[in-house]
Amino acid sequence: MKIGIVCYPTFGGSGVVATELGLQLSKSKYEVHFITYKQPVRLEIINSSLFFHEVNVPDYPLFHYQPYELALSSKLVDTVKKYNIELLHVHYAIPHAYAAYMTKQILQSENVNIPIVTTLHGTDITLVGKHPFYKPAVKFSINNSDFVTSVSEDLKNETKKLFNIHKEIKVIPNFVDISKYLDYKQDFDREFIAGRDEKIISHVSNFRKVKRTLDVIDIFNNIQKQVKSKLIMVGDGPDRLKCMKRCKELGIIEKVKFLGNSNQVYDILSYSDLFLLPSEIESFGLSALEAMMLKVPIISTNVGGLPEVNMEGVSGFLFDLGDIQKMSLKSIEILKDDILLKKMKEGAYNTAKKYDIKKIIPQYEEVYKLFSK
Ligand code: GMT
């Protein structure tokens, strides 16, 4: 089957899920075409069953905003026709589900039928999508997709509630490739990050307000007073400078490494003892799942889909949003108790196994089968 995948090509979780899905599909009976404005970060191999088509948006001085949806729809129409693509799977509703709907309409006028599968990832619903400026268009494009999936039960319920959607939404969670870890080799030395007697705490995100990265710094500040440790902050985004400033004010800048966007997330996680995710909104928490796969327990909030991923007392612990005190105390307890830490590491890994790629990809394939000719 020939599938077109539309996603954000950046370091965000929806792009990672879409790319890993496409890569995996292309290893079996699928021909996969990525259609987006840049080659997705994790898409390193292009071969006879894996293609990348770049969407170009010419800069025209008359436009204050360049019309990306228009360029994307046009590119989708051309690519579907040129490669006989049989289904479009769009990740993140804004603006992809909307552009896909237009593509379907244009192709219909030429007697070509293209089914649209939309996967909802999170803020396309819970933050941006529900904003009155976008809501009618998002609701319309969800209702007019041929099939809709969401990455957690919580996101499914939120979507139904916020947009009054009566259509079926199938939950297909995020996934990790457990086999990647089995023979995993780190590319750099642990000494680069911390001394032998120091614990390593990590956080990975796009440093947006919803990630509450300043809470990460405050929690670590409490931890480092009682446990010799280093904090690794991976990723980049609007709150990164604020975090650096807070570290300087607290006098802990020497203990915190800001690595920016990195393709070595797994290396960093594989050395970590604890992962902090105190988010305000989190539909699933792919970064937490990746940490769990690498045997790192999670201290997170109990918002959104996080309780579906982080199992209380097994893979980690969950707290109310903003409860820095309790998150700090539990972190210190785990890091000080080697037996508890070992138990939590195993618990994190065993929980991650439920989300192995081999269990999740067939769920997407079931959806595609509904539309295969
Ligand atoms: O909504 C976002 O923050 C962007 C999106 C992304 O592209 O990173 O993240 C969402 O999708 C991920 C993959 O499905 C989920 O694991 C994240 O939890 C989710 N982020 C939020 O809900 C904040």
Side-chain angles (χ1 to χ4, degrees):
M1 189 176 193
K2 296 184 179 187
I3 297 189
I5 293 185
V6 180
C7 64
Y8 281 104
T10 49
F11 279 89
S14 59
V16 170
V17 168
T19 309
E20 296 289 350
L21 168 66
L23 282 169
Q24 193 66 17
L25 292 171
S26 73
K27 289 179 192 156
S28 61
K29 51 186 186 289
Y30 298 88
E31 182 177 296
V32 179
H33 295 256
F34 283 92
I35 305 128
T36 182
Y37 59 84
K38 210 173 76 188
Q39 182 157 331
V41 277
R42 290 205 189 175
L43 187 68
E44 279 158 8
I45 312 149
I46 305 288
N47 57 41
S48 60
S49 52
L50 196 59
F51 297 77
F52 163 61
H53 311 280
E54 189 176 354
V55 180
N56 290 300
V57 190
D59 211 358
Y60 186 59
L62 184 70
F63 297 146
H64 185 62
Y65 302 106
Q66 307 304 320
Y68 178 65
E69 289 92 307
L70 216 62
L72 175 59
S73 300
S74 296
K75 187 75 186 182
L76 287 173
V77 167
D78 289 347
T79 315
V80 166
K81 287 200 293 194
K82 186 168 175 194
Y83 294 92
N84 295 318
I85 289 172
E86 297 160 78
L87 180 144
L88 286 177
H89 187 172
V90 301
H91 291 259
Y92 207 86
I94 305 171
H96 300 149
Y98 191 72
Y101 174 78
M102 283 315 299
T103 306
K104 190 179 172 84
Q105 293 306 306
I106 297 166
L107 287 168
Q108 227 153 45
S109 72
E110 298 175 26
N111 292 322
V112 178
N113 177 42
I114 185 85
I116 309 292
V117 176
T118 296
T119 291
L120 309 172
H121 280 272
T123 47
D124 46 351
I125 296 299
T126 55
L127 192 72
V128 195
K130 74 173 188 193
H131 194 284
F133 292 172
Y134 299 116
K135 198 169 175 179
V138 174
K139 181 177 173 178
F140 179 86
S141 21
I142 293 172
N143 274 326
N144 285 283
S145 295
D146 294 287
F147 202 94
V148 180
T149 78
S150 85
V151 298
S152 65
E153 283 292 336
D154 182 77
L155 183 60
K156 169 182 163 173
N157 296 337
E158 280 296 298
T159 307
K160 292 205 159 203
K161 200 173 76 195
L162 288 167
F163 295 90
N164 192 20
I165 287 190
H166 302 292
K167 203 179 176 72
E168 191 206 335
I169 299 180
K170 183 181 163 97
V171 175
I172 306 184
N174 288 177
F175 53 85
V176 279
D177 190 347
I178 296 285
S179 65
K180 259 190 196 164
Y181 176 65
L182 296 177
D183 51 4
Y184 196 71
K185 304 248 186 330
Q186 289 94 342
D187 268 351
F188 63 79
D189 297 333
R190 189 187 185 281
E191 285 87 90
F192 168 69
I193 308 176
R196 279 174 197 275
D197 58 341
E198 287 178 314
K199 293 283 195 288
I200 297 176
I201 295 132
S202 55
H203 170 81
V204 181
S205 78
N206 42 25
F207 285 66
R208 283 172 308 156
K209 191 176 160 274
V210 290
K211 298 291 176 178
R212 299 277 288 229
T213 42
L214 287 171
D215 287 7
V216 174
I217 303 296
D218 290 344
I219 296 166
F220 175 70
N221 183 40
N222 290 334
I223 296 174
Q224 59 85 36
K225 288 177 187 159
Q226 303 219 25
V227 181
K228 273 191 98 178
S229 51
K230 288 273 165 61
L231 172 66
I232 313 297
M233 300 287 279
V234 185
D236 202 358
D239 282 354
R240 188 176 168 195
L241 284 178
K242 284 186 203 156
C243 287
M244 290 174 140
K245 191 166 167 264
R246 175 86 115 238
C247 288
K248 281 185 191 138
E249 282 161 9
L250 293 167
I252 55 170
I253 192 72
E254 297 303 323
K255 294 183 181 179
V256 185
K257 274 196 200 314
F258 289 88
L259 295 188
N261 285 324
S262 170
N263 273 328
Q264 287 182 296
V265 173
Y266 286 2
D267 295 277
I268 295 149
L269 291 174
S270 66
Y271 285 133
S272 299
D273 297 293
L274 198 64
F275 187 84
L276 303 178
L277 195 63
S279 308
E280 189 175 321
I281 299 177
E282 202 67 72
S283 67
F284 185 90
L286 178 62
S287 59
L289 179 60
E290 291 184 321
M292 285 156 60
M293 172 184 75
L294 290 149
K295 299 194 173 176
V296 189
I298 312 296
I299 294 291
S300 74
T301 42
N302 51 18
V303 304
L306 281 171
E308 296 169 46
V309 186
N310 185 14
M311 298 294 127
E312 176 77 25
V314 180
S315 61
F317 293 91
L318 300 96
F319 299 90
D320 289 342
L321 175 65
D323 198 340
I324 290 168
Q325 202 53 28
K326 283 201 184 135
M327 289 192 241
S328 308
L329 288 174
K330 189 51 95 177
S331 302
I332 293 164
E333 183 189 328
I334 298 175
L335 293 169
K336 275 188 164 175
D337 181 343
D338 284 347
I339 295 169
L340 177 61
L341 181 58
K342 190 163 180 277
K343 189 178 131 215
M344 299 303 301
K345 281 180 178 239
E346 286 308 316
Y349 180 60
N350 289 330
T351 310
K353 280 187 195 161
K354 285 200 293 188
Y355 299 99
D356 185 31
I357 195 166
K358 292 189 186 67
K359 293 183 182 139
I360 308 300
I361 301 292
Q363 298 181 35
Y364 280 115
E365 292 189 86
E366 284 300 312
V367 176
Y368 302 152
K369 256 190 227 152
L370 299 172
F371 302 101
S372 68
K373 287 167 195 153

